[in-house]
Amino acid sequence: MTSPSGMSCETCRDLLIELVCDELGAETAAAVRAHALKCERCGPELEKLAFTLKASSSLALLSPSPEVEQRIMQAAREGIAGRARGPAREASQGASYGITAWFARLGSFAMSPQVAMASVLLLVVGIGLYALPFGRDGEQSALRATEDEADEHAGAPPSPAASAAATPLAQPEPSLRAEGEARGAASRPQGKMRERAMDERELLKGAQAEKDVKALGSVAARKQSATADESAYAAAPSAARADRPKASKVEPVVQAFPGSKAGAGGASAAAKPKSPSKSLDQLTDDFGASASAGSVGSSARAAAPVPERVAKKESANQGYAQPSSNGYAAAPQAAAPARAAPREAEVASEPLAKSADKRAKADAASALEQGIAALKRGDHMQGEALLKPIASGGTGSDKATAMLWLARSLRERGDCAGALTYYRTLTQAVTTPRSVLEEAADCHARTGNAAAAERLRARAALPAKQ
Amino acid sequence: MRQRDLESCSDEQLLGLYARGELSAMAVLVARFQKPLFTFLMRMCRDRSRSEDLLQEAFLRMIEHADTFEGTARLKTWLYRIARNLCIDDMRRQKHRKHASMDAAHGEDDGRTLHDRVAAKDPQADRRAVSQELSVRMLTAIDALPDDQREVFLLRQVHALQFKEIADITAVSENTVKSRMRYALERLQGALAEYQDYAEELR
């Protein structure tokens, strides 16, 4: 609805509140009033608003108690007095007032929520960076992981010094522990990459051993092949070690402790002529060549008599451990003890299960080595007694190696039935070496199972799979 | 300065005089603002004791900042903004006491409770009684307004502040202030509808 003045009801109603509150200009107010007088909708609404406003305007003002006014005026007096005192007080307090005010400002800044949030953020980031494997701890844990990996892969019984440092049962001498720490500390800068590179080099060198590992259906047979290698060539044990990742930790010791060079020289001198590790096949050939020919005696196959080899090995081990002992004593500033303490703490903090597992592995490796050594020197009873538990309860390459040596030992002694209990297992693998197949076939033939012998010979006649 | 001269001064001039040590200027300011401010606080907080505390606090802040008052805003607007902010803080703290207590002293200076007021009727003076009833109904209706509408209504009706000034105090737009005022009046209309004819007769 539009009034003659041209104002719509909507516009009028919007302006009514301003009209009753005297917020409109004279001209606009007159126009709104003119519209409201003639409009049936806007007129009554204007009346209601005016009445409500008038009724509410009669609200009496309330008075506070007189004490309030007195307190306010008292505060006003004190305010004037304070302003008068203020500059004089500041001047009299001088620098201390300024310092106090500065500390007060600093305190208020330090206690602000923004600073608190920033501090928490920095703390979280710091902890995060510390926890990430970038720092020293991370490198140490990587080193530990590499050591574990190297132990598992190499599988060789650790040298006396190394095993003494690794197994709490061995109760190592402080000097040996210091040596272990020194080795760790010296090889640490080399980093994980060097350990990996050494691993790969070892893998290449032991390619033939790897082949046998696959043949026996074991992923980790590198360890045992290296063990057999060492046992067969005990005259130069350090050579095999020098080729394995563990050996990389010995060199820094020699460098770190020059006094130990003479002791280490013997071991390394014996190591240098050593060729890369021989394959398990070669080893088994060494051991079982005469057995295949039906001959039991095999003392001539070894380059040196067993006692001599054992003696050499022991001396080599001594040479392996001696330098560190001497080096520890000869270390000019005795840096090793300082490093030994964290190492000891590290060893002590290792999980119990992990150390027990390591210990069991070391024991098994030692028994395997001793068993094989016993068989090599013709002590079948002792060798079999040592290898049987491994063949029945061991795992992986240890078990396969023990079974193979046991089978050949039994076959040598003419117990083909007993040997077949192991050969049956060994020949189940698709890639069983030809020599093993032939040995098993021979046992079957001797026990009257010509069909089985024929089958195995047929398998052996097949071209070798790569 | 003489009292008469002081009373002719603007609010801002009086504060400036107080900042220069003129205590009587503050007395004039207190006399000028204490009742409207207290009424506003009373209608908003519905508690005399708390309203007095808030009034005192508002004046103390004005005294503290007398030196730093720059005069870019009107003193009245500045003072009401202080009082309003204090009131809002207090209302947040006292949120659990939403409704007017029938036992607490209510409203005017006589200290009688609302129950006493409703019950005490003077049969000899209908006119006075109706007026009193209307006043009570009005107060009740004002109390029932939403906070944002009530503060706009009180600032406008009790203190005759302009919409623009109310917008400055409440930190909303002028149109919002007008809308709130309109809604407040419409709510009060509903509460006072039955009294409208009677009130017309009393004019």
Side-chain angles (χ1 to χ4, degrees), chain B residues 20 22 26 49-50 62 79 83 88 90-91 104-105 114-116 125 131-132 140 142 151 190 196:
Chain B
R20 291 193 290 272
E22 186 67 53
M26 180 55 67
S49 173
R50 285 196 290 125
M62 187 181 74
L79 190 56
I88 287 173
D90 183 76
M91 286 164 70
L114 184 59
H115 182 268
D116 296 335
S131 178
Q132 196 169 13
T140 307
I142 291 171
E151 71 175 358
Q196 186 166 1

Side-chain angles (χ1 to χ4, degrees), chain A residues 33 69 210 217-218 244 290 332 365 392 399 401 418 438 447 462 464:
Chain A
R33 278 201 189 90
E69 186 177 353
E210 187 76 24
S218 169
R244 286 200 304 276
S290 59
S392 59
K399 183 174 184 175
T401 307
E438 287 171 351
T447 53
L462 290 173

Side-chain angles (χ1 to χ4, degrees), chain B residues 28-45:
Chain B
V28 175
L29 278 175
V30 171
R32 201 176 278 184
F33 283 109
Q34 69 168 343
K35 282 188 179 181
L37 265 181
F38 182 68
T39 305
F40 171 73
L41 292 169
M42 270 289 290
R43 299 296 179 218
M44 291 298 292
C45 297

